[in-house]
Amino acid sequence: MAVTKTLTKAIPFEKNSKVEEWQLEMTYENDSEGDATYYTSTFSARAVAADSDFTAKAKADWTKSQLEALCPTSEWDVVFASQVDSVITNPVVNPVPDTAYSIPS
């Protein structure tokens, strides 16, 4: 299963011209849309300089790879794998009602 991770949103929260906090969103996809095993999920997180997630600096000084590094991808990887397993690999099969059933006499 090839998983693609794409940073889809990065909202900076600034104070004194430096980013103090980021709101981040990353979309995970496995396979290609339309494939029987295709699955997608979006995760979000907040990274705060005061929590030692990063050192505050001007938003122009940030790179995409630095923003991606703020995302807790190791946690998201586990959750996404579990989601794929429960939806694609081992889906729950619910019983089907037979509404035409006749009670024996």
Side-chain angles (χ1 to χ4, degrees):
M1 165 179 72
V3 177
T4 304
K5 304 171 196 176
T6 307
L7 186 65
T8 51
K9 186 185 290 184
I11 301 172
F13 291 75
E14 296 176 275
K15 180 179 175 185
N16 299 323
S17 299
K18 293 185 177 183
V19 177
E20 296 280 330
E21 183 175 335
W22 284 101
Q23 180 178 341
L24 303 162
E25 185 176 280
M26 187 173 279
T27 299
Y28 278 55
E29 293 179 288
N30 75 311
D31 296 330
S32 298
E33 194 168 354
D35 289 352
T37 56
Y38 176 75
Y39 187 76
T40 184
S41 190
T42 301
F43 299 94
S44 61
R46 284 181 108 72
V48 181
D51 294 341
S52 300
D53 287 348
F54 61 88
T55 301
K57 60 183 176 181
K59 67 182 168 192
D61 294 338
W62 285 89
T63 65
K64 183 179 178 184
S65 62
Q66 289 172 327
L67 293 171
E68 290 171 337
L70 294 175
C71 296
T73 54
S74 59
E75 295 171 25
W76 293 346
D77 291 350
V78 172
V79 173
F80 186 71
S82 176
Q83 290 173 336
V84 169
D85 184 60
S86 65
V87 174
I88 303 295
T89 310
N90 297 303
V92 174
V93 179
N94 293 316
V96 178
D98 179 359
T99 56
Y101 177 76
S102 296
I103 300 172
S105 45

